[in-house]
Amino acid sequence: MSSTRLASHSPLGLHRVLEPAGVLPQAAWRLDPRPEIWPDEVRVRVRRLNLDAASFRQLSESTDGDPDKIRHAVLEIVAGRGKMQNPVTGSGGMLTGTVDEVGPESPLGLQVGDEIATLVSLSLTPLVITDGLAAWDGKSEQVPCEGHAILFGRSIAARLPDDMPAELALSVMDVCGAPALTHRVVAERAASVVAIIGAAGKSGSLSAAAARAAGARKIIGVVPHDREAEILRGAKGADGEHGLVDEVVIADARDPVALSGAIAAAGGPADVTVVCVDVPGCEGGAILSTAQGGTIIFFSMATSFTAAALGAEGVAADVTMLVGNGYVPGHARLAIELIRTEPGVRGIFQGRISE
Amino acid sequence: MSSTRLASHSPLGLHRVLEPAGVLPQAAWRLDPRPEIWPDEVRVRVRRLNLDAASFRQLSESTDGDPDKIRHAVLEIVAGRGKMQNPVTGSGGMLTGTVDEVGPESPLGLQVGDEIATLVSLSLTPLVITDGLAAWDGKSEQVPCEGHAILFGRSIAARLPDDMPAELALSVMDVCGAPALTHRVVAERAASVVAIIGAAGKSGSLSAAAARAAGARKIIGVVPHDREAEILRGAKGADGEHGLVDEVVIADARDPVALSGAIAAAGGPADVTVVCVDVPGCEGGAILSTAQGGTIIFFSMATSFTAAALGAEGVAADVTMLVGNGYVPGHARLAIELIRTEPGVRGIFQGRISE
């Protein structure tokens, strides 16, 4: 490493971008994954990759489920790009491992030996695989793996808690931005009525618990059918008296009139509406279900920006609409704490993991 | 009109939806444009349609610019759908006209004889054309037109001011959501430094003036090239001393590193960043240009929801990202008032109109 390169390191990892020059690591075609670290970086000994579901599906289908072929495909991507970013889906995933070296200027607060999960995408994380993925059967997005990865000054990582299985902790951290932002918005706005669209899912159930912790008086949980309604009705809140939600509503979130009618009947409109279902077309329903002056948080990656913007204007809805940023300081800690204290949410997660 | 239908009228106009049943008027294929009004409706005698730019371009191209063919195409859409919603682009536009009849329960505050512009899209406004568009040359999105249109209880309309040309007032009202939301956000957050991406444009210049009126200390205007920089430098603020913006920055908004570097050099990062340029790929630059704890308002219809959500997470940016809702109460009044009092903004609008 020349001193010129050392002098030019960036907390965003720009110094690791090989091509095209000048873009952010996520947009780069190829990163420099060398094991030597710059002063604000951290090197991690990788234990496991958790491929993004869309990426794994694409890889699995394009290799006809053949274990040798899918291993080869992943190895080729990582060797060619210096990161595990599926060129078709653009997505990555996360990883777990052990901290191996911490640069003197790293702001992440990690210690050598810490067991961690990365909370920034693999699509921007420099990565080298050294075991040929020999321990992976190619049948699951959980990929046992040896090698190293690099965290930048502005990367995010969280220590794995020692009081719960790693798989549970990982699936919690994967969605931990949703409860953190929900908590902040409900607390800031002193929201009384909160509607969670997709409340029996992972991000939805955590967001319901976060809304309660932030002081919501009434939580309306929306689910698409009876089976999920049953799961949600069976979920208790932390106090053992209330449910995780106060009202369970079965409605099609894509039908604005039906959804807003059902939420109104359950005590709405909502001061804060949280959209946690990954199906397109939920914008209009969320807008009509929210009170004038209220706030909608869109966590679904299927959200259409234009449908939200034009939909609100079309019905003269004075609602604040937030893009669900996956990063809020302290998000992993809050979500793990909710899993520890909320038996209903923990039950929902355990049920989803064993599915 | 049967009493059953009368009883079931909805401020959203659901009673005017013919097919498919149950959707909102914007999503409907066909509306009922009958001239008889329900108790909370208003009927307008139409004077002019202002077709959405994307819609007019599509119609013009698909009819080879032939005036007879494009007139026929618009007439056919309106006759078939009961509204002027381009089936290819999905977009509409707005209209001006004179209030003809006001239902006893209308909450819009209009009087018979008022000259108004509608601020909800033509894509959800029941419309009948009666003059065969004989006065339209087919060469401009400004369509002289006779007929009637219907406003619902939750539609939005504004009286045309009598102290400025209708064309100026219309082009102001077309973008009036941006300054209104900018004003609210800057005032609520007592923002000090505000960056406007696309500050020499219509929504950008109005938003800059709104940020100043809301108390911003420093306004950084970003433009793509010298010609726009000159326009912006020549625009004076309301006090005649300051410019409309304090710093003019030339940068490519699609280059995150260049944009954030230029904004930092001009006094950034920004507490509030307002994105007013209709080009894709500005999310990363806006995120990097905004201080931790700051807010971004996306007004561009080219904004990608996922690029914003994943981009912020990827650089651990604790920023609040707002979908630019085109409706804020009082938006038209605020924007017209800014045009009256801000010579710099008025000059930019007049320059754009005469282009």
Side-chain angles (χ1 to χ4, degrees):
Chain A
M1 237 184 311
S2 75
S3 60
T4 315
R5 299 212 55 174
L6 270 170
S8 69
H9 69 278
S10 136
L12 300 170
L14 297 171
H15 55 285
R16 294 267 185 179
V17 173
L18 293 180
E19 58 177 299
V23 303
L24 291 172
Q26 188 154 38
W29 177 253
R30 196 159 65 91
L31 300 180
D32 174 357
R34 71 176 65 183
E36 295 82 12
I37 58 173
W38 269 258
D40 68 345
E41 293 183 337
V42 167
R43 189 179 59 251
V44 178
R45 197 164 68 246
V46 179
R47 173 194 304 265
R48 184 185 290 267
L49 308 179
N50 299 268
L51 301 182
D52 167 74
S55 172
F56 174 71
R57 195 180 317 119
Q58 188 277 331
L59 287 163
S60 188
E61 285 170 7
S62 68
T63 55
D64 302 319
D66 180 316
D68 283 333
K69 283 189 190 157
I70 193 170
R71 275 192 290 265
H72 181 74
V74 171
L75 289 168
E76 206 166 43
I77 291 171
V78 175
R81 306 197 63 175
K83 59 178 177 173
M84 180 53 213
Q85 181 177 25
N86 184 317
V88 178
T89 65
S91 57
M94 51 201 290
L95 64 80
T96 57
T98 311
V99 173
D100 210 20
E101 188 183 354
V102 178
E105 297 172 14
S106 168
L108 301 186
L110 297 174
Q111 311 272 337
V112 171
D114 282 349
E115 301 291 321
I116 62 155
T118 60
L119 300 180
V120 287
S121 173
L122 287 179
S123 63
L124 56 87
T125 303
L127 174 69
V128 170
I129 296 175
T130 54
D131 70 343
L133 299 178
W136 183 36
D137 63 7
K139 304 214 176 299
S140 146
E141 55 224 54
Q142 303 273 331
V143 183
C145 168
E146 285 177 24
H148 75 261
I150 304 295
L151 301 179
F152 308 130
R154 270 179 83 163
S155 295
I156 323 164
R159 281 189 197 85
L160 288 170
D162 50 17
D163 59 347
M164 65 185 71
E167 201 178 359
L168 174 60
L170 276 177
S171 67
V172 171
M173 289 178 179
D174 194 30
V175 295
C176 65
L181 188 53
T182 299
H183 189 281
R184 177 190 280 183
V185 169
V186 170
E188 269 179 11
R189 294 171 171 61
S192 176
V193 178
V194 176
I196 313 273
I197 320 288
K202 292 197 287 185
S203 59
S205 60
L206 271 174
S207 297
R212 181 80 75 198
R217 186 181 55 78
K218 174 165 214 161
I219 301 174
I220 302 169
V222 179
V223 292
H225 47 61
D226 276 336
R227 203 176 61 86
E228 297 228 329
E230 215 165 291
I231 292 173
L232 193 54
R233 284 197 197 98
K236 292 279 163 242
D239 64 3
E241 285 175 41
H242 294 84
L244 174 60
V245 304
D246 301 296
E247 302 279 346
V248 177
V249 163
I250 300 178
D252 183 345
R254 296 162 301 183
D255 182 335
V257 178
L259 178 69
S260 57
I263 286 181
D271 301 311
V272 172
T273 300
V274 185
V275 180
C276 291
V277 287
D278 257 326
V279 295
C282 299
E283 301 85 2
I287 290 164
L288 285 189
S289 302
T290 305
Q292 292 289 83
T295 300
I296 303 169
I297 317 176
F298 289 106
F299 284 111
S300 164
M301 286 299 159
T303 303
S304 157
F305 183 89
T306 48
L310 296 177
E313 185 179 321
V315 296
D318 179 21
V319 290
T320 298
M321 296 185 286
L322 298 176
V323 177
N325 181 353
Y327 176 68
V328 175
H331 57 346
R333 203 171 51 241
L334 171 68
I336 292 290
E337 192 55 30
L338 287 172
I339 286 287
R340 287 196 184 108
T341 54
E342 295 275 353
V345 181
R346 188 163 179 147
I348 284 175
F349 270 75
Q350 284 166 334
R352 301 258 165 200
I353 287 171
S354 61
E355 257 170 16
Chain B
M1 236 182 313
S2 76
S3 60
T4 314
R5 297 210 61 174
L6 269 170
S8 70
H9 69 278
S10 136
L12 300 170
L14 297 172
H15 55 285
R16 294 268 186 179
V17 172
L18 292 180
E19 56 177 301
V23 304
L24 292 172
Q26 187 154 40
W29 177 254
R30 196 159 64 93
L31 299 180
D32 174 357
R34 71 175 68 182
E36 296 81 14
I37 57 173
W38 270 258
D40 68 346
E41 293 183 337
V42 167
R43 188 178 61 250
V44 178
R45 196 164 68 245
V46 179
R47 172 193 305 263
R48 184 184 290 267
L49 308 178
N50 298 268
L51 300 183
D52 167 74
S55 172
F56 174 71
R57 196 179 317 119
Q58 189 277 330
L59 286 163
S60 188
E61 285 170 7
S62 67
T63 55
D64 302 319
D66 181 317
D68 282 334
K69 283 190 190 155
I70 193 170
R71 276 193 289 266
H72 182 73
V74 171
L75 289 169
E76 205 166 44
I77 290 170
V78 174
R81 305 195 64 175
K83 58 177 176 174
M84 180 52 213
Q85 181 178 26
N86 184 316
V88 178
T89 64
S91 56
M94 51 201 288
L95 65 81
T96 57
T98 310
V99 173
D100 211 19
E101 187 183 354
V102 177
E105 296 172 14
S106 169
L108 301 185
L110 297 174
Q111 311 273 337
V112 170
D114 282 348
E115 300 292 319
I116 62 155
T118 60
L119 299 178
V120 288
S121 173
L122 286 179
S123 63
L124 58 86
T125 303
L127 175 68
V128 170
I129 296 175
T130 53
D131 69 343
L133 299 177
W136 184 37
D137 63 7
K139 303 217 176 299
S140 147
E141 54 224 54
Q142 303 274 331
V143 183
C145 169
E146 286 178 25
H148 74 262
I150 304 294
L151 301 179
F152 308 131
R154 270 179 81 162
S155 295
I156 322 166
R159 280 190 197 84
L160 288 170
D162 49 18
D163 59 347
M164 65 184 70
E167 201 178 358
L168 174 60
L170 275 177
S171 68
V172 171
M173 289 179 179
D174 194 30
V175 296
C176 66
L181 188 53
T182 299
H183 189 282
R184 177 191 279 183
V185 169
V186 169
E188 269 180 12
R189 294 172 170 64
S192 176
V193 179
V194 176
I196 313 273
I197 319 289
K202 293 195 287 185
S203 59
S205 60
L206 271 175
S207 297
R212 182 79 76 199
R217 187 181 54 78
K218 175 166 213 160
I219 301 174
I220 303 169
V222 180
V223 292
H225 47 60
D226 276 335
R227 202 176 61 86
E228 296 229 330
E230 216 165 291
I231 292 172
L232 194 52
R233 283 196 198 100
K236 292 281 163 240
D239 64 4
E241 286 176 41
H242 292 85
L244 174 59
V245 305
D246 301 296
E247 303 277 346
V248 176
V249 163
I250 300 178
D252 183 346
R254 295 162 302 183
D255 182 335
V257 178
L259 178 69
S260 58
I263 286 182
D271 301 311
V272 172
T273 300
V274 186
V275 181
C276 292
V277 286
D278 257 325
V279 295
C282 299
E283 301 85 1
I287 290 164
L288 285 188
S289 302
T290 305
Q292 292 288 85
T295 300
I296 303 168
I297 317 177
F298 290 105
F299 284 111
S300 163
M301 285 299 159
T303 303
S304 157
F305 183 89
T306 49
L310 296 176
E313 183 180 323
V315 296
D318 180 20
V319 290
T320 298
M321 296 185 286
L322 298 177
V323 177
N325 180 353
Y327 176 67
V328 175
H331 57 346
R333 204 171 49 241
L334 171 68
I336 292 289
E337 192 55 30
L338 287 171
I339 286 287
R340 287 195 183 109
T341 56
E342 296 274 354
V345 181
R346 188 162 179 148
I348 285 176
F349 269 75
Q350 284 165 335
R352 301 257 165 202
I353 286 172
S354 62
E355 257 170 15

Coordinates of all heavy atoms in Angstrom, one line a residue, chain A residues 78-117:
Chain A
V78 N -17.8 -13.6 -7.0 CA -17.0 -13.0 -6.0 C -15.5 -12.8 -6.5 O -14.9 -11.8 -6.2 CB -17.0 -13.9 -4.7 CG1 -16.0 -13.3 -3.7 CG2 -18.4 -13.9 -4.1
A79 N -15.0 -13.8 -7.3 CA -13.7 -13.6 -7.8 C -13.6 -12.5 -8.8 O -12.7 -11.7 -8.9 CB -13.2 -14.9 -8.5
G80 N -14.7 -12.3 -9.6 CA -14.7 -11.3 -10.7 C -15.0 -9.9 -10.2 O -14.5 -8.9 -10.7
R81 N -15.9 -9.8 -9.1 CA -16.3 -8.5 -8.7 C -15.7 -8.0 -7.4 O -15.8 -6.9 -7.0 CB -17.9 -8.5 -8.6 CG -18.6 -9.0 -9.8 CD -20.0 -8.6 -9.8 NE -20.2 -7.1 -9.8 CZ -21.4 -6.5 -9.9 NH1 -22.5 -7.2 -10.0 NH2 -21.4 -5.2 -9.9
G82 N -15.1 -9.0 -6.6 CA -14.6 -8.6 -5.3 C -15.6 -8.4 -4.3 O -15.4 -7.8 -3.2
K83 N -16.9 -8.8 -4.6 CA -18.0 -8.7 -3.7 C -19.1 -9.7 -4.2 O -19.1 -10.1 -5.4 CB -18.6 -7.3 -3.7 CG -19.0 -6.7 -5.0 CD -19.6 -5.3 -4.9 CE -20.0 -4.8 -6.3 NZ -20.7 -3.5 -6.2
M84 N -20.0 -10.0 -3.3 CA -21.1 -10.9 -3.7 C -22.3 -10.1 -4.1 O -23.2 -9.9 -3.3 CB -21.4 -12.0 -2.6 CG -22.5 -12.9 -3.0 SD -22.2 -13.8 -4.6 CE -23.9 -14.0 -5.2
Q85 N -22.3 -9.6 -5.3 CA -23.5 -8.9 -5.8 C -24.0 -9.6 -7.1 O -23.3 -9.6 -8.1 CB -23.1 -7.4 -6.1 CG -24.3 -6.6 -6.6 CD -23.9 -5.1 -6.8 OE1 -22.8 -4.8 -7.1 NE2 -24.9 -4.3 -6.7
N86 N -25.1 -10.2 -7.0 CA -25.7 -10.9 -8.1 C -25.9 -9.9 -9.3 O -26.6 -8.9 -9.2 CB -27.1 -11.5 -7.7 CG -27.7 -12.3 -8.8 OD1 -27.7 -11.9 -9.9 ND2 -28.2 -13.4 -8.4
P87 N -25.3 -10.1 -10.4 CA -25.3 -9.1 -11.5 C -26.7 -9.1 -12.1 O -27.1 -8.0 -12.7 CB -24.3 -9.7 -12.6 CG -23.9 -11.0 -12.1 CD -24.4 -11.3 -10.7
V88 N -27.6 -10.1 -11.9 CA -28.9 -10.0 -12.5 C -29.9 -9.3 -11.5 O -30.6 -8.3 -12.0 CB -29.5 -11.4 -12.8 CG1 -30.9 -11.4 -13.3 CG2 -28.6 -12.2 -13.7
T89 N -29.9 -9.6 -10.3 CA -30.8 -9.0 -9.3 C -30.2 -7.7 -8.7 O -31.0 -6.9 -8.2 CB -31.2 -9.9 -8.2 OG1 -30.0 -10.2 -7.4 CG2 -31.7 -11.3 -8.7
G90 N -28.9 -7.6 -8.8 CA -28.3 -6.4 -8.2 C -28.2 -6.5 -6.7 O -27.6 -5.6 -6.0
S91 N -28.7 -7.6 -6.1 CA -28.8 -7.6 -4.6 C -27.7 -8.5 -4.0 O -27.0 -9.2 -4.8 CB -30.1 -8.2 -4.2 OG -30.4 -9.5 -4.8
G92 N -27.5 -8.4 -2.7 CA -26.4 -9.1 -2.1 C -26.9 -10.0 -1.0 O -27.3 -11.1 -1.2
G93 N -26.9 -9.5 0.3 CA -27.3 -10.3 1.4 C -26.5 -9.7 2.6 O -26.1 -8.6 2.6
M94 N -26.3 -10.6 3.6 CA -25.4 -10.1 4.7 C -24.5 -11.2 5.1 O -24.5 -12.3 4.5 CB -26.3 -9.7 5.9 CG -27.3 -10.7 6.3 SD -28.7 -10.0 7.3 CE -27.8 -9.6 8.8
L95 N -23.6 -11.0 6.0 CA -22.6 -12.1 6.4 C -22.4 -12.1 7.9 O -22.6 -11.1 8.6 CB -21.3 -12.0 5.7 CG -20.4 -10.8 5.9 CD1 -19.6 -10.9 7.2 CD2 -19.4 -10.7 4.7
T96 N -22.0 -13.2 8.4 CA -21.6 -13.3 9.8 C -20.1 -13.8 9.9 O -19.6 -14.4 8.9 CB -22.4 -14.3 10.7 OG1 -22.4 -15.6 10.1 CG2 -23.9 -13.8 10.7
G97 N -19.4 -13.4 10.9 CA -18.0 -13.8 11.1 C -17.4 -13.3 12.3 O -18.1 -12.8 13.2
T98 N -16.1 -13.3 12.4 CA -15.4 -12.9 13.6 C -14.4 -11.8 13.2 O -13.7 -11.9 12.2 CB -14.5 -14.1 14.1 OG1 -15.4 -15.3 14.2 CG2 -13.9 -13.8 15.5
V99 N -14.4 -10.8 14.0 CA -13.5 -9.6 13.8 C -12.0 -10.1 13.9 O -11.6 -10.7 14.9 CB -13.8 -8.5 14.7 CG1 -12.7 -7.4 14.6 CG2 -15.2 -7.9 14.5
D100 N -11.3 -9.8 12.9 CA -9.9 -10.3 12.7 C -8.9 -9.2 13.0 O -7.8 -9.4 13.5 CB -9.8 -10.8 11.3 CG -8.8 -11.9 11.2 OD1 -8.5 -12.6 12.2 OD2 -8.3 -12.2 10.0
E101 N -9.2 -8.0 12.5 CA -8.3 -6.9 12.7 C -9.1 -5.6 12.7 O -10.0 -5.4 11.8 CB -7.2 -6.8 11.6 CG -6.1 -5.8 11.9 CD -5.1 -5.7 10.7 OE1 -5.1 -6.5 9.8 OE2 -4.2 -4.8 10.8
V102 N -8.7 -4.7 13.6 CA -9.5 -3.4 13.6 C -8.5 -2.2 13.4 O -7.5 -2.1 14.1 CB -10.1 -3.2 15.0 CG1 -10.8 -1.8 15.1 CG2 -11.1 -4.3 15.3
G103 N -8.7 -1.4 12.4 CA -7.8 -0.3 12.1 C -7.9 0.7 13.2 O -8.9 0.8 13.9
P104 N -6.8 1.5 13.5 CA -6.7 2.4 14.6 C -7.7 3.5 14.5 O -8.1 4.1 15.5 CB -5.3 3.0 14.5 CG -4.8 2.7 13.1 CD -5.5 1.5 12.7
E105 N -8.2 3.8 13.3 CA -9.2 4.9 13.2 C -10.6 4.4 13.0 O -11.5 5.2 12.6 CB -8.8 5.8 12.0 CG -7.5 6.5 12.1 CD -7.0 7.2 10.9 OE1 -7.8 7.4 10.0 OE2 -5.8 7.6 10.8
S106 N -10.8 3.1 13.1 CA -12.2 2.6 12.9 C -13.2 3.2 13.9 O -12.9 3.1 15.1 CB -12.2 1.1 13.0 OG -13.6 0.6 13.0
P107 N -14.3 3.7 13.5 CA -15.3 4.3 14.4 C -16.4 3.2 14.8 O -17.3 3.6 15.5 CB -15.9 5.4 13.6 CG -15.9 4.9 12.2 CD -14.7 4.0 12.1
L108 N -16.2 2.0 14.4 CA -17.3 1.0 14.6 C -17.4 0.4 16.0 O -18.4 -0.2 16.3 CB -17.2 -0.1 13.5 CG -17.3 0.3 12.1 CD1 -17.3 -0.9 11.1 CD2 -18.5 1.2 11.8
G109 N -16.4 0.6 16.8 CA -16.4 0.1 18.2 C -16.3 -1.4 18.3 O -16.8 -2.0 19.3
L110 N -15.7 -2.0 17.3 CA -15.6 -3.5 17.4 C -14.2 -3.9 18.0 O -13.2 -3.1 17.9 CB -15.7 -4.1 16.0 CG -17.1 -3.8 15.3 CD1 -17.0 -4.3 13.8 CD2 -18.2 -4.6 16.1
Q111 N -14.1 -5.1 18.5 CA -12.9 -5.6 19.1 C -12.6 -6.9 18.3 O -13.5 -7.7 17.9 CB -13.1 -6.0 20.6 CG -13.8 -5.0 21.4 CD -12.8 -4.1 22.0 OE1 -11.6 -4.4 22.2 NE2 -13.2 -2.8 22.4
V112 N -11.2 -7.2 18.3 CA -10.8 -8.5 17.7 C -11.5 -9.6 18.4 O -11.5 -9.6 19.7 CB -9.3 -8.6 17.7 CG1 -8.9 -10.0 17.3 CG2 -8.7 -7.6 16.7
G113 N -12.0 -10.6 17.7 CA -12.7 -11.7 18.4 C -14.2 -11.6 18.5 O -14.9 -12.5 18.7
D114 N -14.7 -10.4 18.2 CA -16.2 -10.2 18.3 C -16.9 -11.0 17.2 O -16.4 -11.0 16.1 CB -16.6 -8.7 18.1 CG -16.4 -7.8 19.3 OD1 -16.1 -8.4 20.4 OD2 -16.4 -6.6 19.1
E115 N -18.0 -11.7 17.6 CA -18.8 -12.4 16.6 C -19.8 -11.4 16.1 O -20.6 -10.8 16.9 CB -19.5 -13.5 17.2 CG -18.6 -14.6 17.9 CD -17.9 -15.4 16.8 OE1 -18.5 -15.6 15.7 OE2 -16.7 -15.6 17.0
I116 N -19.9 -11.1 14.8 CA -20.7 -10.0 14.3 C -21.5 -10.4 13.1 O -21.3 -11.5 12.4 CB -19.9 -8.8 13.9 CG1 -18.9 -9.2 12.7 CG2 -19.1 -8.2 15.1 CD1 -18.6 -8.0 11.9
A117 N -22.6 -9.6 12.8 CA -23.3 -9.7 11.6 C -23.1 -8.3 10.9 O -23.1 -7.3 11.6 CB -24.8 -10.0 11.8

